[in-house]
Amino acid sequence: RRTTAFIPRDLSMLTPIDEMPEDVDRWIRVDLSEQMVIAYENGEPVRGFVVSTGLPGTPTVTGTFNIRMKVRSQTMSGGTPGNGYYNLPNVQWVQYFYADYGFHGTYWHNNFGNPMSHGCVNMTNADAKWLFDWASPTWDGKSVWYSSTEGDPGTLVIVHE
């Protein structure tokens, strides 16, 4: 099982963000400059991952979001033949936080730490599963598409340069 996970002890290399969330049980930080994702619980970093985010022509969106939809596995496709076309079956542990932007497992490359995607946050399948299980909305284990609700609004995600 491939993983890039680490226990975050020293995060001084991360790009500062304007405001660290307060009074939030769990949240996820995506540092595009460092190609890292950090999961926080009760104000403390609990797990970190080296990831691959969007390429210059297809950058990852920045801002503050919530995980809005989860899907255990799906086919992802896009672009046009000869111009960035991709068709990837069985992309696992997908969590959308804005439009078509999300976290998901990646089996087609091992180049974590470098931008590689069409805008999503690429993780190893093992790392994406950990984040999928840890973050809300809490998947019911059977729904294909599982949405956040008012009662389970989805984990906060902050994506920054």
Side-chain angles (χ1 to χ4, degrees), residues 53-72:
T53 60
L55 291 161
T58 54
T60 302
V61 65
T62 58
T64 301
F65 313 98
N66 288 80
I67 293 175
R68 61 178 188 79
M69 179 76 67
K70 289 185 172 188
V71 61
R72 164 68 182 82

Side-chain angles (χ1 to χ4, degrees), residues 32-71:
L32 300 174
S33 298
E34 296 299 323
Q35 296 292 289
M36 286 188 191
V37 165
I38 308 295
Y40 290 83
E41 192 162 353
N42 299 318
E44 297 296 321
V46 294
R47 197 147 197 176
F49 307 93
V50 179
V51 299
S52 290
T53 60
L55 291 161
T58 54
T60 302
V61 65
T62 58
T64 301
F65 313 98
N66 288 80
I67 293 175
R68 61 178 188 79
M69 179 76 67
K70 289 185 172 188
V71 61

